[in-house]
Amino acid sequence: MTLIFPNRSRSFDEARKVVRFLGYDGMFEVRFFVEAKALADSSATGMSEADYLRAFDAARSSIQDAAMKAYRPSRGTTYTLTAADLG
């Protein structure tokens, strides 16, 4: 199966400081989290939820590419992407 991202929704999890989004491998849902610090401009301070979501949207293509590289069906259905994954 191939990992796809048909749903463009994403949300910010304040408690975990991540942006959540979903991928699908056939009928299986795969949860992805992108660390907020991976989305933050190195000179930015005090980014809001809207800022993180805008940064995610701006980098969506490269984030999805990183998610496809990280995804391995045998490793489970939850992945956290860091700045190193997006580099």
Side-chain angles (χ1 to χ4, degrees), residues 71-77 79:
Y71 178 64
R72 299 288 177 266
S74 62
R75 287 186 37 212
T77 59
Y79 295 81

Side-chain angles (χ1 to χ4, degrees), residues 45-61:
T45 58
M47 286 178 64
S48 68
E49 175 179 338
D51 294 330
Y52 287 118
L53 294 177
R54 272 191 295 277
F56 178 93
D57 291 342
R60 183 182 296 269
S61 179

Side-chain angles (χ1 to χ4, degrees), residues 5-87:
F5 302 96
N7 183 346
R8 294 191 50 86
S9 68
R10 75 287 185 267
S11 61
F12 185 69
D13 182 331
E14 180 67 36
R16 293 186 61 194
K17 299 287 189 212
V18 295
V19 173
R20 301 171 181 243
F21 68 104
L22 298 174
Y24 293 88
D25 183 353
M27 66 180 205
F28 298 103
E29 183 177 274
V30 183
R31 292 169 290 182
F32 289 94
F33 305 98
V34 180
E35 292 181 345
K37 60 186 172 186
L39 297 169
D41 182 335
S42 60
S43 63
T45 58
M47 286 178 64
S48 68
E49 175 179 338
D51 294 330
Y52 287 118
L53 294 177
R54 272 191 295 277
F56 178 93
D57 291 342
R60 183 182 296 269
S61 179
S62 61
I63 290 169
Q64 289 176 341
D65 288 345
M68 285 190 273
K69 288 178 187 172
Y71 178 64
R72 299 288 177 266
S74 62
R75 287 186 37 212
T77 59
T78 302
Y79 295 81
T80 300
L81 302 175
T82 66
D85 295 310
L86 303 181

